[in-house]
Amino acid sequence: MNKTNVSRRSFLGRTAMASVGVVVLPSLLSLSPNNKLNIAAIGVGNRGGQNLKVVAKTNNIVALCDVDDFFLQKAGADFPQAQKFVDFRKMFDQMSKEIDAVLISTPDHTHFAATMIAMQLGKHVYVEKPLAHNIWQLRTLKKAANHYGIISQMGNQGHTTEGIRLIKEWYDADVLGEVKEVHAWRGENKFKPGYYFTKPESFPAPKQNVPSNLNWDLWLGPVANRPFNSVYAPKSWRGFYDFGLGQLGDWACHTMDAPYWALDLGAPHKVKAEIPEAGFNHQSFIPDASTVTFSFKKRGAKPPVKLVWHEGYKKPNIEIKPEWGIKELNSGGGMLMIGSKNTLMTGARPEKPRLLVSDEEWAEFLKNAPEKTIPRVGHNQPHKEWLNAIKNNTQPGSNFDYATGLTEMALVGVMAQRFSGLIKYDGVHMKIKNRPELNGYIKESARDGWSFGEDLWT
């Protein structure tokens, strides 16, 4: 019997009552808003290190976990009082009673396991975007957050901005009129060594020696075993569909958040991906470029919407209308909501929306802008919003009820991008109607010791 299985059984034994319907309630809801939380961080390098520094300003860091000893020791030097772990399952086994909330900043493919264990133990969770690696995981996280009664937040910081609130308020006030077309884009995929998108010379990537500081088996987590290669870890895993969700999965939760929220888009019923790259058929690594068109049905009085994602091009292939008063679009990334009355544009994040009108009209609009009806929570401060929600027993804006739907929209697009062509999606039944062979990617298999959440569906 190996230690991993012992650890998992120990954890499951303590949460057996929760799995049969007795909810393990978080212990902090009665505390004063001035009290500090005891926080565990899973993933403490790169983005995880940035998240850790923010929450540590006003709370206690009691545990650190990372499969890379380089990052773990570096974080341990900053927080010497925290216990250090390589396997988060063992961390929960040993320190469950000492942890109030968990910060999860691992690669996409291990978000789900870490988050599920935390929630089953009644811990509040903050999870980096995109929230999970497949659609079944998203639906399960939503079920679990409500079942266990925890405070959840996905870390798409743009959802806390002033800009995204203005966009929704302007749309609700009929400033844009009917919106039937939206465009979102990111610039060229930068394929170079050490960057987020580093292509191997061949597929599968050739075997290399595992660095002494890395626990490769734990880094893989639920994903099928394969030889180590530096194009996977520590940084460039995003480009591989087994681990990450590419540029679309990474940025949709920022760039498409505002139209998703304002237009109440929900799940698309059709998604079509066009891949210009000749011979793109390996389905392992993201394409050089793609155009992904999402189709949304009518929602109450709101008309059908076509949302087009442009990725990997120097300039997005979008017709610039004369009335917009601009010569070109930002090459780095952006979003257009094209309305029957006005068109709105932002950058890659929804931080500085602007109507595409003359400078004089824009200045006049700002003088008489619609009333601000949505509460403000602190510009670009998702961690603060989450921490305040825990202490005040509320839910942040990008809680799992909201974030799972936003991410699901993106993941249907990622699947169309990965396999190219048209996907007809039945969001009610969580199925692809026209290509049933792809339904195996709705719920991916997991290695022994890494299956969680099945009981919530029985």
Side-chain angles (χ1 to χ4, degrees):
M1 184 179 298
N2 62 51
K3 292 182 179 179
T4 297
N5 287 335
V6 170
S7 175
R8 183 169 180 268
R9 273 202 274 272
S10 173
F11 156 69
L12 290 175
R14 288 206 305 274
T15 57
M17 291 299 291
S19 68
V20 295
V22 179
V23 177
V24 179
L25 292 175
S27 59
L28 291 187
L29 300 187
S30 62
L31 292 184
S32 163
N34 295 321
N35 286 350
K36 290 185 176 182
L37 304 175
N38 290 335
I39 294 179
I42 302 174
V44 297
N46 298 321
R47 181 62 185 164
Q50 297 172 31
N51 289 333
L52 181 57
K53 289 179 181 178
V54 174
V55 300
K57 292 178 181 178
T58 54
N59 298 278
N60 302 318
I61 305 302
V62 297
L64 304 167
C65 183
D66 204 295
V67 298
D68 190 319
D69 193 59
F70 171 79
F71 293 125
L72 187 59
Q73 296 306 322
K74 184 178 179 181
D78 293 332
F79 303 98
Q81 76 284 1
Q83 293 192 45
K84 298 191 291 291
F85 296 87
V86 179
D87 188 336
F88 55 75
R89 296 169 298 181
K90 293 182 180 179
M91 180 191 77
F92 285 119
D93 274 346
Q94 296 179 29
M95 293 192 64
S96 175
K97 294 181 181 179
E98 301 169 55
I99 296 170
D100 299 319
V102 185
L103 185 68
I104 298 164
S105 311
T106 64
D108 300 348
H109 67 289
T110 48
H111 283 183
F112 177 73
T115 307
M116 279 300 303
I117 297 176
M119 290 194 293
Q120 286 176 320
L121 291 170
K123 312 305 177 187
H124 309 294
V125 289
Y126 179 106
V127 186
E128 265 299 321
K129 53 84 191 161
L131 188 58
H133 194 260
N134 64 57
I135 292 169
W136 181 88
Q137 290 177 350
L138 291 171
R139 298 285 184 97
T140 306
L141 290 178
K142 181 177 179 179
K143 282 177 173 281
N146 287 285
H147 181 74
Y148 297 114
I150 57 89
I151 309 301
S152 61
Q153 174 86 309
M154 180 173 76
N156 54 328
Q157 58 264 42
H159 203 75
T160 63
T161 58
E162 174 75 7
I164 198 170
R165 284 156 174 74
L166 293 174
I167 292 168
K168 181 164 174 55
E169 288 163 350
W170 297 350
Y171 173 78
D172 288 346
D174 201 33
V175 171
L176 303 182
E178 283 196 332
V179 174
K180 299 180 181 179
E181 184 176 352
V182 178
H183 291 268
W185 65 95
R186 284 290 292 169
E188 291 182 277
N189 289 328
K190 298 177 181 178
F191 300 114
K192 58 184 181 181
Y195 198 72
Y196 280 159
F197 306 112
T198 303
K199 280 188 177 180
E201 295 179 359
S202 61
F203 292 94
K207 181 179 180 180
Q208 295 177 350
N209 292 330
V210 179
S212 59
N213 56 292
L214 179 65
N215 188 314
W216 178 237
D217 183 70
L218 288 177
W219 190 93
L220 286 171
V223 176
N225 190 25
R226 71 206 62 203
F228 169 81
N229 188 290
S230 60
V231 297
Y232 301 136
K235 193 172 184 179
S236 53
W237 49 267
R238 287 190 189 277
F240 297 88
Y241 285 120
D242 282 351
F243 307 126
L245 298 164
Q247 189 88 281
L248 174 54
D250 188 30
W251 276 92
C253 296
H254 289 315
T255 314
M256 291 154 66
D257 188 9
Y260 177 83
W261 189 27
L263 303 178
D264 190 26
L265 290 178
H269 71 99
K270 290 191 302 183
V271 183
K272 183 178 182 181
E274 300 172 76
I275 312 294
E277 182 180 346
F280 176 73
N281 59 11
H282 52 71
Q283 298 164 356
S284 297
F285 193 83
I286 64 170
D288 292 349
S290 63
T291 302
V292 184
T293 302
F294 300 76
S295 298
F296 300 88
K297 294 181 178 180
K298 184 178 180 181
R299 299 146 337 279
K302 298 181 177 71
V305 172
K306 178 181 76 171
L307 189 162
V308 187
W309 170 260
H310 310 258
E311 174 187 318
Y313 304 100
K314 289 184 178 180
K315 296 285 184 180
N317 185 24
I318 302 170
E319 179 186 359
I320 298 177
K321 299 182 180 181
E323 61 266 28
W324 293 351
I326 57 175
K327 294 181 179 179
E328 61 181 8
L329 299 171
N330 175 21
S331 61
M335 187 276 294
L336 285 168
M337 291 174 64
I338 302 172
S340 58
K341 294 182 179 179
N342 284 294
T343 292
L344 176 149
M345 184 168 69
T346 72
R349 289 189 175 95
E351 294 177 342
K352 296 179 180 180
R354 157 136 194 186
L355 300 182
L356 295 184
V357 295
S358 69
D359 290 345
E360 294 78 13
E361 291 173 298
W362 176 238
E364 187 62 30
F365 169 78
L366 292 178
K367 290 179 184 177
N368 301 282
E371 180 184 358
K372 295 182 178 181
T373 58
I374 303 170
R376 270 53 178 172
V377 295
H379 181 74
N380 260 330
Q381 296 186 60
H383 310 87
K384 180 180 178 181
E385 185 190 25
W386 175 61
L387 295 168
N388 286 342
I390 293 171
K391 296 175 183 179
N392 293 290
N393 194 21
T394 59
Q395 285 288 352
S398 199
N399 68 79
F400 287 3
D401 277 348
Y402 175 83
T404 52
L406 172 62
T407 310
E408 181 170 330
M409 172 187 68
L411 264 58
V412 179
V414 169
M415 195 175 300
Q417 182 190 58
R418 180 176 184 178
F419 297 101
S420 68
L422 176 67
I423 282 179
K424 295 181 179 180
Y425 183 59
D426 178 354
V428 174
H429 299 100
M430 208 167 41
K431 288 185 178 180
I432 297 171
K433 297 189 293 184
N434 64 321
R435 300 168 72 178
E437 71 276 8
L438 300 185
N439 281 312
Y441 296 88
I442 297 285
K443 180 181 185 293
E444 300 160 309
S445 60
R447 288 199 294 166
D448 288 346
W450 292 94
S451 292
F452 299 96
E454 301 283 353
D455 56 285
L456 293 172
W457 294 89
T458 58

